[in-house]
Amino acid sequence: MARPTTFRPIASSIAPSIAIAAFAGLLAGCGGDAPEAETDLTSPLIDERHENFESIGDAFKAIRGQLESGEPDYAVILSNAEDINQRAGNIEAHFAEETAREDGYDTEALAAIWQKPEEFAAATVKLQETSAALVEAAGTEEMATVGAAVKEMGGACKNCHDQFRYDDEK
């Protein structure tokens, strides 16, 4: 009679080796470069923020158009200045953490907004102040006064854009 052989399933002898190899593979994968973030993520907050800034820009263009016409309608200037001032008060609420271009979102907002929060807050306050001054200037119905206020507000916009907004034309 033949002597029985001890049967040891292959799976039980190979399984530890496979587990070790799989674990090593996972560890090796941790050190690799992550793919570049796509800039097509969006959110309702980013959509609101974009719309707010587009509306500010449209109102500012309308004001400049009135001044360039030679015979400005100060009621139109006042209405647009009030709109800008109201929208300027909404800006900070539209910037939730990690919604920058660098975070993969389809936005022109740079991470500098969250890296330099005091500077961003100061830029926002500057827009609020200059847009309030434009509202006041529009009430005077004096071209020079309104023109000076438009120039100040335009400078506030540019200052913020230079620091906190992505510009693909640079």
Side-chain angles (χ1 to χ4, degrees):
M1 175 173 222
R3 194 165 93 170
T5 52
T6 309
F7 177 69
R8 188 170 170 197
I10 293 176
S12 66
S13 63
I14 295 176
S17 299
I18 292 173
I20 291 170
F23 184 71
L26 285 173
L27 288 177
C30 291
D33 290 334
E36 289 287 322
E38 294 181 29
T39 55
D40 62 358
L41 297 175
T42 190
S43 77
L45 181 67
I46 291 174
D47 293 342
E48 287 176 30
R49 145 171 115 200
H50 179 77
E51 175 60 34
N52 195 58
F53 281 116
E54 284 291 316
S55 295
I56 289 172
D58 291 346
F60 191 65
K61 287 176 191 169
I63 292 169
R64 290 182 57 206
Q66 286 296 315
L67 292 175
E68 292 168 1
S69 75
E71 293 184 29
D73 182 339
Y74 290 102
V76 170
I77 292 172
L78 179 60
S79 172
N80 281 286
E82 289 171 337
D83 184 51
I84 292 169
N85 187 246
Q86 182 271 322
R87 290 178 183 282
N90 297 334
I91 291 174
E92 285 191 78
H94 289 134
F95 286 92
E97 289 277 344
E98 299 178 359
T99 57
R101 180 177 189 79
E102 294 88 341
D103 297 312
Y105 285 90
D106 183 17
T107 180
E108 295 174 349
L110 296 175
I113 291 167
W114 298 277
Q115 294 165 351
K116 302 176 183 178
E118 295 84 16
E119 289 92 337
F120 182 67
T124 301
V125 167
K126 182 73 171 172
L127 179 60
Q128 292 167 349
E129 291 171 351
T130 59
S131 63
L134 180 55
V135 169
E136 189 175 316
T140 69
E141 298 190 7
E142 295 176 9
M143 179 93 89
T145 304
V146 174
V150 165
K151 185 176 179 181
E152 283 294 313
M153 196 186 90
C157 292
K158 182 182 180 334
N159 176 55
C160 192
H161 288 193
D162 288 349
Q163 296 181 67
F164 303 111
R165 181 179 179 208
Y166 175 75
D167 182 1
D168 61 357
E169 296 180 17
K170 281 187 178 182

PDB file of all heavy atoms in Angstrom, residues 61-74 76-77 80 143:
ATOM      1  N   LYS A  61     -18.835  98.742 -17.415  1.00  0.00           N
ATOM      2  CA  LYS A  61     -18.785  99.099 -18.844  1.00  0.00           C
ATOM      3  C   LYS A  61     -19.918 100.058 -19.198  1.00  0.00           C
ATOM      4  O   LYS A  61     -19.722 100.989 -19.994  1.00  0.00           O
ATOM      5  CB  LYS A  61     -18.874  97.841 -19.712  1.00  0.00           C
ATOM      6  CG  LYS A  61     -17.612  97.019 -19.711  1.00  0.00           C
ATOM      7  CD  LYS A  61     -17.793  95.734 -20.500  1.00  0.00           C
ATOM      8  CE  LYS A  61     -16.612  94.809 -20.267  1.00  0.00           C
ATOM      9  NZ  LYS A  61     -16.858  93.463 -20.807  1.00  0.00           N
ATOM     10  N   ALA A  62     -21.086  99.831 -18.633  1.00  0.00           N
ATOM     11  CA  ALA A  62     -22.225 100.719 -18.892  1.00  0.00           C
ATOM     12  C   ALA A  62     -21.928 102.139 -18.395  1.00  0.00           C
ATOM     13  O   ALA A  62     -22.256 103.123 -19.074  1.00  0.00           O
ATOM     14  CB  ALA A  62     -23.493 100.176 -18.236  1.00  0.00           C
ATOM     15  N   ILE A  63     -21.296 102.235 -17.236  1.00  0.00           N
ATOM     16  CA  ILE A  63     -20.942 103.549 -16.682  1.00  0.00           C
ATOM     17  C   ILE A  63     -19.922 104.233 -17.586  1.00  0.00           C
ATOM     18  O   ILE A  63     -20.078 105.413 -17.931  1.00  0.00           O
ATOM     19  CB  ILE A  63     -20.399 103.419 -15.240  1.00  0.00           C
ATOM     20  CG1 ILE A  63     -21.526 102.980 -14.296  1.00  0.00           C
ATOM     21  CG2 ILE A  63     -19.752 104.719 -14.781  1.00  0.00           C
ATOM     22  CD1 ILE A  63     -21.053 102.559 -12.913  1.00  0.00           C
ATOM     23  N   ARG A  64     -18.898 103.495 -17.969  1.00  0.00           N
ATOM     24  CA  ARG A  64     -17.872 104.076 -18.850  1.00  0.00           C
ATOM     25  C   ARG A  64     -18.480 104.492 -20.185  1.00  0.00           C
ATOM     26  O   ARG A  64     -18.118 105.528 -20.745  1.00  0.00           O
ATOM     27  CB  ARG A  64     -16.726 103.089 -19.035  1.00  0.00           C
ATOM     28  CG  ARG A  64     -15.924 102.947 -17.741  1.00  0.00           C
ATOM     29  CD  ARG A  64     -14.745 102.022 -17.880  1.00  0.00           C
ATOM     30  NE  ARG A  64     -13.881 102.483 -18.952  1.00  0.00           N
ATOM     31  CZ  ARG A  64     -13.074 101.692 -19.645  1.00  0.00           C
ATOM     32  NH1 ARG A  64     -13.021 100.410 -19.392  1.00  0.00           N
ATOM     33  NH2 ARG A  64     -12.312 102.179 -20.595  1.00  0.00           N
ATOM     34  N   GLY A  65     -19.394 103.681 -20.692  1.00  0.00           N
ATOM     35  CA  GLY A  65     -20.074 104.028 -21.936  1.00  0.00           C
ATOM     36  C   GLY A  65     -20.840 105.332 -21.826  1.00  0.00           C
ATOM     37  O   GLY A  65     -20.837 106.151 -22.758  1.00  0.00           O
ATOM     38  N   GLN A  66     -21.496 105.545 -20.688  1.00  0.00           N
ATOM     39  CA  GLN A  66     -22.222 106.795 -20.466  1.00  0.00           C
ATOM     40  C   GLN A  66     -21.255 107.980 -20.447  1.00  0.00           C
ATOM     41  O   GLN A  66     -21.531 109.016 -21.055  1.00  0.00           O
ATOM     42  CB  GLN A  66     -23.013 106.744 -19.153  1.00  0.00           C
ATOM     43  CG  GLN A  66     -24.242 105.887 -19.214  1.00  0.00           C
ATOM     44  CD  GLN A  66     -25.265 106.419 -20.203  1.00  0.00           C
ATOM     45  OE1 GLN A  66     -25.563 107.617 -20.265  1.00  0.00           O
ATOM     46  NE2 GLN A  66     -25.794 105.511 -21.018  1.00  0.00           N
ATOM     47  N   LEU A  67     -20.127 107.818 -19.775  1.00  0.00           N
ATOM     48  CA  LEU A  67     -19.154 108.915 -19.701  1.00  0.00           C
ATOM     49  C   LEU A  67     -18.556 109.216 -21.066  1.00  0.00           C
ATOM     50  O   LEU A  67     -18.320 110.382 -21.401  1.00  0.00           O
ATOM     51  CB  LEU A  67     -18.048 108.589 -18.694  1.00  0.00           C
ATOM     52  CG  LEU A  67     -18.481 108.536 -17.231  1.00  0.00           C
ATOM     53  CD1 LEU A  67     -17.329 108.091 -16.341  1.00  0.00           C
ATOM     54  CD2 LEU A  67     -19.016 109.898 -16.779  1.00  0.00           C
ATOM     55  N   GLU A  68     -18.322 108.185 -21.856  1.00  0.00           N
ATOM     56  CA  GLU A  68     -17.738 108.366 -23.184  1.00  0.00           C
ATOM     57  C   GLU A  68     -18.732 108.931 -24.187  1.00  0.00           C
ATOM     58  O   GLU A  68     -18.332 109.432 -25.239  1.00  0.00           O
ATOM     59  CB  GLU A  68     -17.170 107.030 -23.677  1.00  0.00           C
ATOM     60  CG  GLU A  68     -15.964 106.567 -22.877  1.00  0.00           C
ATOM     61  CD  GLU A  68     -15.564 105.117 -23.141  1.00  0.00           C
ATOM     62  OE1 GLU A  68     -16.214 104.441 -23.974  1.00  0.00           O
ATOM     63  OE2 GLU A  68     -14.604 104.660 -22.497  1.00  0.00           O
ATOM     64  N   SER A  69     -20.020 108.879 -23.862  1.00  0.00           N
ATOM     65  CA  SER A  69     -21.045 109.359 -24.791  1.00  0.00           C
ATOM     66  C   SER A  69     -21.038 110.875 -24.961  1.00  0.00           C
ATOM     67  O   SER A  69     -21.564 111.392 -25.928  1.00  0.00           O
ATOM     68  CB  SER A  69     -22.435 108.911 -24.325  1.00  0.00           C
ATOM     69  OG  SER A  69     -22.862 109.690 -23.204  1.00  0.00           O
ATOM     70  N   GLY A  70     -20.458 111.565 -24.004  1.00  0.00           N
ATOM     71  CA  GLY A  70     -20.452 113.030 -24.065  1.00  0.00           C
ATOM     72  C   GLY A  70     -21.651 113.655 -23.376  1.00  0.00           C
ATOM     73  O   GLY A  70     -21.579 114.782 -22.914  1.00  0.00           O
ATOM     74  N   GLU A  71     -22.752 112.944 -23.323  1.00  0.00           N
ATOM     75  CA  GLU A  71     -23.957 113.406 -22.638  1.00  0.00           C
ATOM     76  C   GLU A  71     -24.451 112.286 -21.735  1.00  0.00           C
ATOM     77  O   GLU A  71     -25.452 111.620 -22.023  1.00  0.00           O
ATOM     78  CB  GLU A  71     -25.038 113.806 -23.646  1.00  0.00           C
ATOM     79  CG  GLU A  71     -24.671 115.022 -24.469  1.00  0.00           C
ATOM     80  CD  GLU A  71     -25.793 115.457 -25.389  1.00  0.00           C
ATOM     81  OE1 GLU A  71     -26.982 115.238 -25.052  1.00  0.00           O
ATOM     82  OE2 GLU A  71     -25.471 116.010 -26.445  1.00  0.00           O
ATOM     83  N   PRO A  72     -23.767 112.073 -20.618  1.00  0.00           N
ATOM     84  CA  PRO A  72     -24.105 110.928 -19.770  1.00  0.00           C
ATOM     85  C   PRO A  72     -25.476 111.055 -19.109  1.00  0.00           C
ATOM     86  O   PRO A  72     -25.905 112.148 -18.740  1.00  0.00           O
ATOM     87  CB  PRO A  72     -23.008 110.921 -18.712  1.00  0.00           C
ATOM     88  CG  PRO A  72     -22.421 112.275 -18.730  1.00  0.00           C
ATOM     89  CD  PRO A  72     -22.655 112.845 -20.094  1.00  0.00           C
ATOM     90  N   ASP A  73     -26.119 109.916 -19.007  1.00  0.00           N
ATOM     91  CA  ASP A  73     -27.379 109.814 -18.270  1.00  0.00           C
ATOM     92  C   ASP A  73     -26.994 109.413 -16.847  1.00  0.00           C
ATOM     93  O   ASP A  73     -26.639 108.265 -16.589  1.00  0.00           O
ATOM     94  CB  ASP A  73     -28.278 108.767 -18.928  1.00  0.00           C
ATOM     95  CG  ASP A  73     -29.630 108.624 -18.244  1.00  0.00           C
ATOM     96  OD1 ASP A  73     -29.763 109.006 -17.051  1.00  0.00           O
ATOM     97  OD2 ASP A  73     -30.552 108.105 -18.895  1.00  0.00           O
ATOM     98  N   TYR A  74     -27.051 110.372 -15.949  1.00  0.00           N
ATOM     99  CA  TYR A  74     -26.588 110.124 -14.581  1.00  0.00           C
ATOM    100  C   TYR A  74     -27.471 109.141 -13.821  1.00  0.00           C
ATOM    101  O   TYR A  74     -27.013 108.490 -12.889  1.00  0.00           O
ATOM    102  CB  TYR A  74     -26.411 111.446 -13.825  1.00  0.00           C
ATOM    103  CG  TYR A  74     -25.226 112.216 -14.361  1.00  0.00           C
ATOM    104  CD1 TYR A  74     -25.399 113.289 -15.223  1.00  0.00           C
ATOM    105  CD2 TYR A  74     -23.932 111.829 -14.027  1.00  0.00           C
ATOM    106  CE1 TYR A  74     -24.309 113.976 -15.743  1.00  0.00           C
ATOM    107  CE2 TYR A  74     -22.833 112.514 -14.541  1.00  0.00           C
ATOM    108  CZ  TYR A  74     -23.021 113.576 -15.401  1.00  0.00           C
ATOM    109  OH  TYR A  74     -21.938 114.232 -15.912  1.00  0.00           O
ATOM    110  N   VAL A  76     -28.619 106.399 -15.174  1.00  0.00           N
ATOM    111  CA  VAL A  76     -28.050 105.103 -15.578  1.00  0.00           C
ATOM    112  C   VAL A  76     -26.744 104.854 -14.814  1.00  0.00           C
ATOM    113  O   VAL A  76     -26.496 103.745 -14.325  1.00  0.00           O
ATOM    114  CB  VAL A  76     -27.817 105.052 -17.110  1.00  0.00           C
ATOM    115  CG1 VAL A  76     -27.019 103.820 -17.509  1.00  0.00           C
ATOM    116  CG2 VAL A  76     -29.148 105.104 -17.850  1.00  0.00           C
ATOM    117  N   ILE A  77     -25.933 105.884 -14.697  1.00  0.00           N
ATOM    118  CA  ILE A  77     -24.671 105.755 -13.952  1.00  0.00           C
ATOM    119  C   ILE A  77     -24.964 105.413 -12.504  1.00  0.00           C
ATOM    120  O   ILE A  77     -24.350 104.495 -11.937  1.00  0.00           O
ATOM    121  CB  ILE A  77     -23.831 107.053 -14.061  1.00  0.00           C
ATOM    122  CG1 ILE A  77     -23.340 107.226 -15.500  1.00  0.00           C
ATOM    123  CG2 ILE A  77     -22.656 107.021 -13.079  1.00  0.00           C
ATOM    124  CD1 ILE A  77     -22.656 108.554 -15.777  1.00  0.00           C
ATOM    125  N   ASN A  80     -26.224 101.755 -12.084  1.00  0.00           N
ATOM    126  CA  ASN A  80     -25.138 100.784 -12.250  1.00  0.00           C
ATOM    127  C   ASN A  80     -24.136 100.862 -11.099  1.00  0.00           C
ATOM    128  O   ASN A  80     -23.613  99.827 -10.656  1.00  0.00           O
ATOM    129  CB  ASN A  80     -24.452 100.974 -13.601  1.00  0.00           C
ATOM    130  CG  ASN A  80     -25.246 100.369 -14.723  1.00  0.00           C
ATOM    131  OD1 ASN A  80     -25.295  99.153 -14.872  1.00  0.00           O
ATOM    132  ND2 ASN A  80     -25.902 101.210 -15.517  1.00  0.00           N
ATOM    133  N   MET A 143     -19.491 115.515 -14.356  1.00  0.00           N
ATOM    134  CA  MET A 143     -18.658 114.622 -15.150  1.00  0.00           C
ATOM    135  C   MET A 143     -17.278 114.401 -14.520  1.00  0.00           C
ATOM    136  O   MET A 143     -16.822 113.261 -14.433  1.00  0.00           O
ATOM    137  CB  MET A 143     -18.500 115.165 -16.563  1.00  0.00           C
ATOM    138  CG  MET A 143     -17.639 114.301 -17.439  1.00  0.00           C
ATOM    139  SD  MET A 143     -18.537 113.095 -18.392  1.00  0.00           S
ATOM    140  CE  MET A 143     -18.898 114.029 -19.846  1.00  0.00           C
TER     141      MET A 143
END
